[in-house]
């Protein structure tokens, strides 16, 4: 039996719900159709807000030959077939779901054809491409973020479907579906479909809906906060050493079920915000992530809750990553200089530190024009204090 959501997949951009920042008079995607142009792009945002529908609407309105691939499910040989087909016809649009999971072999296969325009890529992902998609792919695509759908968007869309399907449903029931779908229009349509199939007279009530689904479907947040705002609050709470707020935002992220975002953010926090104040936290975070992946939800909450509590209570230091940022700023502004002769590959003047007491000998390592430059400034914490004391003692004894 055909799903209602598939029956009502939009054929043109004017049928897309929401995304007014991209679709409409003088908006970029609508102008592409108007000008009969298409370029490689990545559409990202939460599930059920129109990524796939927009991709299909674009190729349908532009009447362009296309193929749909999934970065995980389809094999490299499937990709090779599409490339050969593109060569045969001179151009091909590839709509690729889960593009954030594209492996290196498939990337290497596609890149030259993206470069020469033989393949136009429309990538779809729920993950932020700036964080997770390979830069080589990302640099060849325009990136568009799709916005969360409002309850009004979903209600209006459901009204149109209900009218076409002769489904009887009142406004309160429509509002209920919109609220529990949390901005996922596909989920809202599926609930309408199930409810209408569960009635004798095609009339849907709130009581019926509650027997089918009484729990909100989370992705961003049922209170309306954006997914990335919750991730930001999670990191800032740990950085601010507020253990209760850290656990609160962790709970919201767990309820969404987006463990990958939790793992990535914890890995960053371990080195960005805790760093040298507690260097053992990095391996501990990796161990907690490994345990969470092994057991899955709901038990994954146990190692995650334990490590987040320790991260929030841990002393903090950002000295190491700030030191590297200072060095990167010099490189990018051209403040570099030549490698000193004494540490070049074949230099006879290099002094091998392991041949000296305490494995230390004074010699110049920095380029001459920045030889007195300092990047690292230790933070005030026990571990860095001890490191720097040992470092200074080592130099004093030589």
């Amino acid at each position: 039996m055909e799903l209602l959501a598939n029956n009502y997949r939009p054929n043109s951009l004017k049928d897309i719900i929401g995304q007014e920042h991209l679709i409409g008079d003088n908006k970029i995607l609508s102008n592409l159709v108007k000008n009969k142009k298409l370029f490689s792009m990545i559409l990202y945002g939460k599930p059920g807000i129109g990524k796939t529908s927009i991709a299909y609407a674009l190729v349908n309105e532009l009447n362009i030959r296309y193929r749909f691939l999934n970065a995980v499910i389809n094999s490299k040989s499937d990709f090779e077939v599409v490339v050969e087909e593109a060569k045969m016809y001179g151009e091909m649009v590839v709509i690729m779901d889960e593009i954030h999971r594209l492996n290196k072999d498939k990337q290497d296969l596609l890149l030259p054809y993206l470069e020469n325009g033989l393949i136009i890529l429309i990538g779809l992902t729920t993950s932020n491409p700036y964080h997770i998609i390979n830069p080589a792919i990302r640099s060849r695509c325009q990136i568009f973020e799709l916005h969360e759908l409002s309850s009004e968007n979903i209600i209006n869309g459901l009204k149109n479907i209900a009218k076409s399907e002769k489904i009887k449903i009142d406004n309160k029931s429509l509002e209920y579906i919109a609220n529990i779908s949390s901005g996922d229009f596909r989920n809202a349509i599926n609930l309408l479909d199930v409810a209408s199939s569960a009635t004798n007279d095609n009339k849907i009530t709130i009581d019926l809906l509650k027997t089918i689904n009484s729990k909100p479907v989370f992705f961003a947040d049922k209170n309306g906060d954006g997914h990335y705002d919750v991730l930001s609050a999670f990191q800032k709470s740990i950085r601010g050493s507020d253990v209760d707020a850290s656990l609160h935002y962790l709970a919201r992220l767990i309820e969404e079920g987006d463990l990958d975002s939790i793992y990535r953010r914890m890995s960053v926090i371990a080195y960005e915000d805790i760093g040298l104040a507690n260097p053992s936290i990095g391996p501990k975070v990796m161990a907690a992530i490994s345990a969470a992946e092994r057991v899955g939800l709901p038990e994954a909450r146990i190692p995650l809750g334990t490590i987040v509590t320790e991260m929030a209570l841990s002393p903090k230091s950002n000295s190491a990553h700030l030191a590297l940022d200072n060095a990167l700023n010099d490189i990018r502004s051209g403040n570099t200089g030549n490698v000193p002769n004494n540490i070049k590959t074949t230099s006879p003047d290099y002094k091998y530190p392991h041949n000296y007491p305490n494995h230390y000998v004074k010699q110049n390592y920095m380029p001459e024009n920045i030889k007195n430059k300092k990047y690292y400034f230790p933070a005030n914490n026990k571990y860095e204090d001890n490191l720097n004391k040992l470092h200074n003692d080592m130099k004093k004894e030589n």
Side-chain angles (χ1 to χ4, degrees):
M1 185 177 68
E2 191 74 16
L3 290 174
L4 202 57
N6 292 334
N7 291 341
Y8 285 90
R9 188 178 292 282
N11 292 314
S12 65
L13 290 180
K14 65 180 176 59
D15 298 323
I16 299 291
I17 290 176
Q19 313 314 328
E20 293 86 356
H21 63 301
L22 299 174
I23 298 168
D25 292 341
N26 291 320
K27 297 299 169 65
I28 186 166
L29 295 186
S30 297
N31 283 343
L32 288 179
V33 171
K34 181 180 177 181
N35 298 324
K36 300 188 183 306
K37 298 281 187 180
L38 192 61
F39 46 73
S40 291
M41 65 181 73
I42 295 170
L43 305 175
Y44 81 98
K46 61 178 284 190
I49 60 174
K51 297 183 294 296
T52 306
S53 294
I54 288 174
Y56 279 127
L58 284 170
V59 295
N60 184 61
E61 288 202 76
L62 291 169
N63 195 27
I64 301 177
R65 189 178 300 275
Y66 75 92
R67 289 291 177 264
F68 186 92
L69 293 173
N70 184 293
V72 179
I73 296 171
N74 290 107
S75 66
K76 185 180 177 182
S77 62
D78 295 328
F79 282 66
E80 290 170 340
V81 168
V82 170
V83 168
E84 292 305 312
E85 194 172 352
K87 291 177 181 177
M88 184 187 307
Y89 292 103
E91 186 180 65
M92 179 74 69
V93 174
V94 174
I95 300 173
M96 188 178 302
D97 200 12
E98 297 191 82
I99 190 173
H100 60 283
R101 299 180 68 183
L102 190 66
N103 67 29
K104 189 176 186 302
D105 284 349
K106 296 171 187 175
Q107 288 171 26
D108 291 344
L109 176 65
L110 285 178
L111 279 173
Y113 304 109
L114 287 178
E115 194 71 44
N116 65 22
L118 184 69
I119 286 178
I120 297 171
L121 177 67
I122 304 179
L124 314 175
T125 178
T126 56
S127 299
N128 188 329
Y130 295 103
H131 296 160
I132 196 167
I133 290 180
N134 183 289
I137 294 287
R138 196 175 65 224
S139 68
R140 290 163 174 80
C141 300
Q142 296 299 311
I143 297 175
F144 299 114
E145 180 181 7
L146 272 61
H147 294 170
E148 297 176 26
L149 298 179
S150 66
S151 292
E152 184 180 359
N153 290 146
I154 292 176
I155 289 169
N156 289 337
L158 291 176
K159 279 183 177 178
N160 292 334
I161 294 173
K163 183 178 179 181
S164 297
E165 296 292 320
K166 296 181 172 53
I167 297 171
K168 302 167 190 173
I169 183 168
D170 59 28
N171 287 333
K172 286 186 177 180
S173 297
L174 288 169
E175 289 172 5
Y176 181 83
I177 293 177
N179 287 336
I180 66 171
S181 64
S182 296
D184 185 333
F185 188 49
R186 182 173 55 241
N187 181 269
I189 297 174
N190 289 341
L191 182 53
L192 182 76
D193 193 7
V194 171
S196 66
S197 301
T199 66
N200 292 323
D201 55 2
N202 226 21
K203 183 177 181 180
I204 296 174
T205 64
I206 286 183
D207 289 339
L208 172 64
L209 291 169
K210 286 181 177 178
T211 64
I212 298 169
N213 189 337
S214 60
K215 181 183 178 182
V217 178
F218 289 90
F219 185 80
D221 183 71
K222 67 177 182 180
N223 296 317
D225 291 331
H227 177 64
Y228 297 107
D229 287 338
V230 176
L231 279 171
S232 175
F234 177 57
Q235 178 165 4
K236 287 169 182 171
S237 297
I238 294 176
R239 179 187 296 152
S241 301
D242 189 324
V243 65
D244 298 304
S246 301
L247 291 169
H248 172 80
Y249 292 115
L250 174 64
R252 284 163 74 157
L253 291 165
I254 287 173
E255 194 68 14
E256 296 171 21
D258 185 13
L259 294 180
D260 284 344
S261 290
I262 297 172
Y263 299 157
R264 288 194 300 273
R265 192 56 63 110
M266 289 196 316
S267 300
V268 169
I269 296 167
Y271 295 96
E272 179 182 354
D273 296 308
I274 298 172
L276 289 176
N278 180 6
S280 68
I281 202 69
K284 286 183 178 180
V285 166
M286 293 301 108
I289 289 172
S290 178
E293 284 184 327
R294 183 175 291 273
V295 301
L297 288 172
E299 287 84 357
R301 76 190 190 283
I302 299 168
L304 292 178
T306 301
I307 193 63
V308 165
T309 299
E310 182 175 355
M311 292 171 79
L313 295 174
S314 177
K316 308 295 190 295
S317 172
N318 64 352
S319 60
H321 93 82
L322 287 183
L324 178 58
D325 286 347
N326 290 335
L328 286 169
N329 287 336
D330 266 357
I331 304 304
R332 291 163 183 167
S333 63
N335 191 20
T336 54
N338 296 323
V339 174
N341 288 330
N342 63 297
I343 58 170
K344 287 184 177 179
T345 307
T346 58
S347 173
D349 299 321
Y350 174 60
K351 298 176 182 177
Y352 189 56
H354 297 298
N355 290 339
Y356 295 84
N358 296 319
H359 306 272
Y360 175 83
V361 60
K362 187 175 181 179
Q363 63 184 322
N364 185 40
Y365 293 97
M366 287 286 270
E368 181 65 26
N369 60 313
I370 55 170
K371 66 180 182 181
N372 295 318
K373 184 81 174 187
K374 277 187 66 67
Y375 295 125
Y376 171 67
F377 296 93
N380 183 20
N381 60 76
K382 185 176 179 180
Y383 189 86
E384 282 182 89
D385 287 345
N386 287 337
L387 273 182
N388 285 285
K389 182 179 183 301
L390 290 169
H391 182 68
N392 290 331
D393 288 348
M394 176 176 65
K395 291 193 292 186
K396 284 177 185 176
E397 294 175 16
N398 285 270

